Amino acid sequence: MVKAVFDNFAPDAQKDHFTIGINDDVNHTSLSWDANFSVEPESVVRAMFYGLGADGTVGANKNSIKIIGENTKNYAQGYFVYDSKKSGAMTVSHLRFGPKPIRSTYLISKANFVACHQWIFLERYDMLSSLVEGGVFLLNSPFGANEVWEKLPREVQKHLIEKRAKFYVIDAYQVARNTGMGSRMNTILQTCFFAISKVLPPEEAIEQIRQSIRYTYGRKGEEVVQKNLKAVDETLAHLHQVKVPAEVTSKIEIPAPFSAEAPKFEREVLGAIYAGHGDDIPVSAFPVDGTFPTGTAKWEKRNLALDIPVWDTKTCIQCGKCAMVCPHAVIRIKVYDSRELTGAPAAFKSADARDKEWQSKKYSIQVAPEDCTGCGICVDICPAKNKSETRLKALNMEPQPPLRYQENENWKFFLKLPELDRRDIKLTTIRQQQVQEPLFEFSGACSGCGETPYIKLVSQLFGDRAIVANATGCSSIYGGNLPTTPWSKNLDGRGPAWSNSLFEDNAEFGLGFRVSVDKQTEFARELVHRLAPTLGADFTNLLTTSSQKNEAEIYQQRERVASLKQQLVKIQSPEARQLLAVADLLVKKSIWIVGGDGWAYDIGYGGLDHVLASGLNVNLLVLDTEVYSNTGGQASKSTPRAAVAKFAAGGKPAAKKDLGLMAMSYGNVYVASVAMGAKDEHTLKAFLEAEAYDGPSIIIAYSHCIAHGINMTTAMSDQKVAVDSGQWLLYRYNPERALAGENPLTLDSRTPTKKVKDFLQQQTRFQMLTKSKPEDAKRLWQLAQHDADLRYKMYEYLAQRKPEPVPAREPQPVAEGRPDVKQEGLQTTTK
Amino acid sequence: MVKAVFDNFAPDAQKDHFTIGINDDVNHTSLSWDANFSVEPESVVRAMFYGLGADGTVGANKNSIKIIGENTKNYAQGYFVYDSKKSGAMTVSHLRFGPKPIRSTYLISKANFVACHQWIFLERYDMLSSLVEGGVFLLNSPFGANEVWEKLPREVQKHLIEKRAKFYVIDAYQVARNTGMGSRMNTILQTCFFAISKVLPPEEAIEQIRQSIRYTYGRKGEEVVQKNLKAVDETLAHLHQVKVPAEVTSKIEIPAPFSAEAPKFEREVLGAIYAGHGDDIPVSAFPVDGTFPTGTAKWEKRNLALDIPVWDTKTCIQCGKCAMVCPHAVIRIKVYDSRELTGAPAAFKSADARDKEWQSKKYSIQVAPEDCTGCGICVDICPAKNKSETRLKALNMEPQPPLRYQENENWKFFLKLPELDRRDIKLTTIRQQQVQEPLFEFSGACSGCGETPYIKLVSQLFGDRAIVANATGCSSIYGGNLPTTPWSKNLDGRGPAWSNSLFEDNAEFGLGFRVSVDKQTEFARELVHRLAPTLGADFTNLLTTSSQKNEAEIYQQRERVASLKQQLVKIQSPEARQLLAVADLLVKKSIWIVGGDGWAYDIGYGGLDHVLASGLNVNLLVLDTEVYSNTGGQASKSTPRAAVAKFAAGGKPAAKKDLGLMAMSYGNVYVASVAMGAKDEHTLKAFLEAEAYDGPSIIIAYSHCIAHGINMTTAMSDQKVAVDSGQWLLYRYNPERALAGENPLTLDSRTPTKKVKDFLQQQTRFQMLTKSKPEDAKRLWQLAQHDADLRYKMYEYLAQRKPEPVPAREPQPVAEGRPDVKQEGLQTTTK
């Protein structure tokens, strides 16, 4: 596969030398070299471990190399390679040890020991190409020693036979389940490594692992420690060597990384990067302007879910909440004419649409089985109980593997069903709105992510005309980390344009989009006017002054622009050619400036404040996880009082910064504070109002996060507790209301019915302080309650205030330039 | 003089080559060269013009060189050299023109024409050393052609004779006064240049000047244009050539730049820089660590004032307001025992002190005549009317020259009078507080500056233990631009330590002072405890735990530290040596973070916000001129609605950012908004409260500015109108009040009694829009009134709010580090 890629791009390159270094087939500046050349002494033991991001593999290996370094006479070294994807990304741990100092400041290319901690990698990565002859392959396998051979792909069998490998299997997930460890199998596989490698006497190795378990998990409580210790004890009984047969017998082929249905560039370039061969791709394969296609995450088919949701058509009330909360846009709704069901797979489900406006139409909820991460949030949020069996709902989790093929066929059929005309969808209810096609799907965000549902909502509501400036952080990583992006496009080819900028300048970056779009629109209108004699006065007028406030009006304007373009190609004038280049700018664009709290409250706040003060029509979305999530949980000014975070190990002593109040102080900024899990239609309303407001808008969106130490499946319910306890406020501040003589602030939270501690005790970030520093925790929890009381009463007070009549509102140009450098001299040489 | 300096530092250097280039007498890396070498063709006419900053010389010369370039066949070039001082700084315009393209990308060293626009420069700069033989010298002289010769210093006479110069004089100030131009003499001297140089036929030159007057001043109104035209017409009648006698006859010597009383470094290094020979100073002359002495502005003796205030002892009510508002700390008050008057100069004035607590003491107000800039603010603020002659007050402006010698003697005597013991001064009234010695004096700020009185107040109240972090801007320029600094010290050698940082990091820079001081104090206390066996338990306890909340307590702690140090030198231990180095940190320090609105509202706001959120005890002083003053008047987010500024040429469309409200949103930040001219005791109270608060404090101080286009003399009265109209609010938000169960916000402004337009129409920044865009002005002025109404009612509402009881207040450590870089790999090589 990978060779095929290279054949297309650089037919004359030396194939043997393709594995490392830039292959510059454009300027031909790269030198050829021998990839097999090695200076590593044979005495160095080299081990590679393939794990899934966050499965504990890296942590266990850091621990192993410390044990070896501290308890044996070996010198030791560890390198850990992982990309920035949140879930489904591979990690590779490279451990070296030996009797002499290790001076290899590079990754392992040939290993004595290869461990595959995730079965799904067998079909995805060619791990055994790195194994030396006679080396060990350890596989975490759901299949026992007797049956595993036939389940291996042919390529893997071939490597094992040719390399005369020692092959071990263990069902680490089963051991983990049996010992109460859930899906945590890192210490189990670590034990296997020591058992097989014998770098330490087995008893001693196990004692070291036990000690490190007590050290590592001690602060999480004795129960966690005991479970881990038990898992270690049970491991060796489940570790089995497999006799490697002499013949390749498997019928399983390693598939190409991306489906054959994917476009050529996606298959040959993005697919090669995805398969781990990105460093081999020749320079000529890359886009010259750095622009990558969107809608590419759908080719990944990561198959991460052990269980996926299954729809019960009879119980379902068609509320749309499951689609709303889904972090990965893998549960979708379509409403369509019954005739579209012709040719549907037998297992494809549909029901009569219940919404009165959709009378006589069919309704389907469909899951993308290979893209679902199995978080279960859709099931948790589902309000429809099965009356005959109350433990069931209208959605229920069931194992994915048996459903994979069938639901895949259903998914393909579902995708071909037509979308409802956007003009016919009412945006006042989740029930209807969630029929909108998401243009943000299958991101690499964590399973159960609290940020992505907000982004997906933006993509549904405004995606076909959105331009997104994304600050560094989780959202930039799952949003556009090579090789794929979840940002997508509809059948017309319309979808968000997206780019990422720095923490410290993303608000300004997005403001630049606005200024640029406005300038181009102005130029397009000017050109239309210059061509008015040809285009006609009426059409000119319609093109340049038509309202574009809703889907219907935007649809009309798009039709006009399409008609304009058809006319333009026939007009021979410089104006016509120029207008053709900017005519699309006559359709309203929606600028979104997106980032997390580290960006919005801290590092990017100076710019964010400047952009809010600009008066220009931009929409800022703050995905507020209340901590620097992407970098591992450092406190930000958004972190609430009493939360434990990095740089706030004793619990954050200060209250959360009130970013919304600060933004409101400008008076002409739309401000909303939302929490989808607490009140989804409030979230929807805020997004619609923010976008409609012709000035700066900021939405501060409560986003649950793995950094909070919560059960992600029930995280949307936690959001409700956050609002019910007053820990998080729902409100909207709409300057348009002030113009209408009303108080611009609407407090949408009700008087708290719960206590703040009801919220705090759900989350490890707060709970852990009650164990480590109970006195501090008590005091800080009291203050947290006080913060919430004060905040609620303050907002209630402000929302009750009698408004001032406003004489007029003014568009406000932004200040240009940076006036902190004084001009010190001037030279004029004129004749 | 200058040669004498170099003799001290680099006796073996080649004297002839001293004029340009770094003279590296430390590492000896510089090459010698011939300063007289020139490649300029003789055909190039070279003219140099010496002016005072803001006297119009530079503007007129830019205009002249344009006229020459556009209306003659000459090629033309202009360089303009000026430093960043606000007032009293020299500007030099270098104009070249000639028949061939000019390729001299450097300043003029030999000029055909030298013009001195300011008489005071004759005694300060050796201007004629640049004049070629037979060249022209044009002097703006208060003395006529018949009497001027005897008034010239010997050195000047010598140059004129030796160079056979053509010498012209004009009393440009007189022409300006006669034609209604006040002190604007730039077009008058420009006319002289064209008349003498004859680069254009005289009639044509004058017509060009007339045209440019219409262009330049047209928007300021026809009256200004007519005055300028009249000035031009009257010029030639007052321009006279002076026959240069054959002999030097003057008895006037050019004095050394700084007084002989100044310390050696001040005289020989700072004095040389001040005289314009900074580039010649050898490397060895500079302080190795970049630390410069404070209290050096007093050596400048700029003699800028045409008139100075004169005290009428009988009319004076001793309120202290004159000293409070003085931007340059040139009007001072002392209260002392009558016996101190022994040996007073005959003209020295004193009165019986009126304050009851100063019974039987004497009271003197004294002006530093050579440091006063003549702004007249003290006279304007003086509330005491002379009952017999109502046009007079207790202070009245009188011409400086006749008073200079007498008042200088008085000033010297005044300086020797003892200061009142700080412990005995009550800080509740301006009357007493203003007796505190200012440790910020004679800055290079503009005459009448609105910022410096606040800084001076800080220096009086806390200067003897203050550390100041100063953002770039006016305050950094007048605060510490080489060669001198107005930051000073008292007789004990105590005074503020000062440093300047960037717009974008000054708040953080100051926070670093706090963190560093706290750490050193902690270390000092730790060392005291370690030495407790030697120092004794009681003394240890007193040293480490004594309260330092007022002058008396701080005095006691200083006494203890002095005693400690005496003991330490006798103790032989590493702890004792270490403690000696940090013992002074046992006395409370006051951290001040100072800057303008460009820093606080815009470029440095991200950091300012972060520092406010830190919870640490720092004091931020925002000198709010509502515009980037230092760089020439660009709009900031502080600029109020309707003001014209650069980047807001059509009047600022947005309302002023409410920085105070944003800071208050933290709840634990002390916030005050003050305007000294409106309510001086409110200002005093705010500064005392801010400093006393053990957490972050921010004071937003209304600072009038030349950029506002106002009469600076009456600017303090304008501040009162700002508050009376509601354009500026006075308030204090003290978190300590919340702890006491009170509303933390006190609105100190009364309900507005004036309209906002009463304020706007006083200032050119607002007025000019009524001429250029009357409709826009009308709308924006309405909105400005609305802003003020809204703001007043909002604050009134917030201040009336019933407070919430607070459980406890918490010190809040700042987050450390910058957590936006993910660690991508880890190598552990252990044995």
Side-chain angles (χ1 to χ4, degrees), chain B residues 540-594:
Chain B
T540 296
N541 197 37
L542 281 171
L543 270 170
T544 54
T545 64
S546 292
S547 165
Q548 298 183 57
K549 289 198 170 161
N550 55 44
E551 289 289 340
E553 291 177 351
I554 287 168
Y555 180 89
Q556 284 180 322
Q557 181 73 354
R558 283 207 178 108
E559 295 285 299
R560 282 181 211 112
V561 170
S563 156
L564 170 69
K565 285 163 128 182
Q566 284 178 349
Q567 296 184 48
L568 287 175
V569 291
K570 295 175 206 150
I571 304 171
Q572 292 301 323
S573 81
E575 280 92 351
R577 281 195 299 278
Q578 287 178 313
L579 183 51
L580 209 47
V582 292
D584 286 330
L585 276 299
L586 293 168
V587 179
K588 188 178 168 190
K589 295 284 176 283
S590 185
I591 309 292
W592 286 83
I593 301 174
V594 176

Side-chain angles (χ1 to χ4, degrees), chain A residues 365-585:
Chain A
I365 294 180
Q366 176 63 46
V367 171
E370 297 191 299
D371 301 300
C372 177
T373 67
C375 69
I377 287 193
C378 54
V379 174
D380 186 61
I381 204 84
C382 177
K385 293 255 165 68
N386 183 324
K387 278 159 195 158
S388 49
E389 196 168 355
T390 51
R391 72 175 179 88
L392 296 178
K393 293 179 159 187
L395 284 172
N396 302 289
M397 297 302 281
E398 293 183 22
Q400 186 248 30
L403 292 166
R404 177 169 161 183
Y405 179 79
Q406 164 194 312
E407 289 307 317
N408 225 351
E409 294 304 302
N410 288 341
W411 173 248
K412 284 179 192 164
F413 177 77
F414 177 85
L415 286 181
K416 287 180 192 147
L417 290 173
E419 299 286 342
L420 265 194
D421 189 324
R422 290 178 64 84
R423 290 173 293 173
D424 298 337
I425 302 169
K426 280 200 181 156
L427 299 180
T428 47
T429 63
I430 301 296
R431 167 192 291 272
Q432 288 215 13
Q433 184 275 324
Q434 276 302 312
V435 174
Q436 289 188 320
E437 182 183 13
L439 298 176
F440 181 89
E441 58 179 15
F442 319 144
S443 78
C446 298
S447 183
C449 176
E451 297 185 351
T452 46
Y454 295 111
I455 296 181
K456 189 187 57 176
L457 182 61
V458 169
S459 83
Q460 291 176 298
L461 293 169
F462 322 110
D464 60 357
R465 54 192 177 85
I467 306 180
V468 183
N470 206 131
T472 296
C474 284
S475 54
S476 74
I477 299 303
Y478 60 65
N481 210 14
L482 276 179
T484 68
T485 175
W487 292 97
S488 192
K489 58 195 171 199
N490 62 21
L491 267 187
D492 299 327
R494 292 197 183 94
W498 182 94
S499 192
N500 159 233
S501 193
L502 304 175
F503 258 132
E504 54 267 41
D505 68 6
N506 187 59
E508 298 92 320
F509 184 60
L511 189 75
F513 291 2
R514 176 79 273 163
V515 173
S516 160
V517 163
D518 287 351
K519 197 72 206 166
Q520 291 179 71
T521 306
E522 184 191 334
F523 184 46
R525 288 190 184 137
E526 187 184 316
L527 290 167
V528 170
H529 280 291
R530 280 196 236 158
L531 289 165
T534 315
L535 299 171
D538 288 352
F539 190 48
T540 297
N541 197 35
L542 281 170
L543 271 170
T544 53
T545 64
S546 292
S547 164
Q548 297 183 59
K549 288 200 171 159
N550 55 44
E551 289 288 339
E553 291 178 350
I554 287 168
Y555 180 89
Q556 286 181 320
Q557 181 73 355
R558 283 206 178 109
E559 295 286 298
R560 281 182 213 112
V561 170
S563 158
L564 170 68
K565 286 162 129 183
Q566 283 177 350
Q567 296 184 48
L568 287 176
V569 291
K570 295 175 204 151
I571 303 172
Q572 293 301 324
S573 80
E575 279 91 352
R577 282 196 298 278
Q578 286 178 315
L579 183 50
L580 209 48
V582 292
D584 287 331
L585 275 299

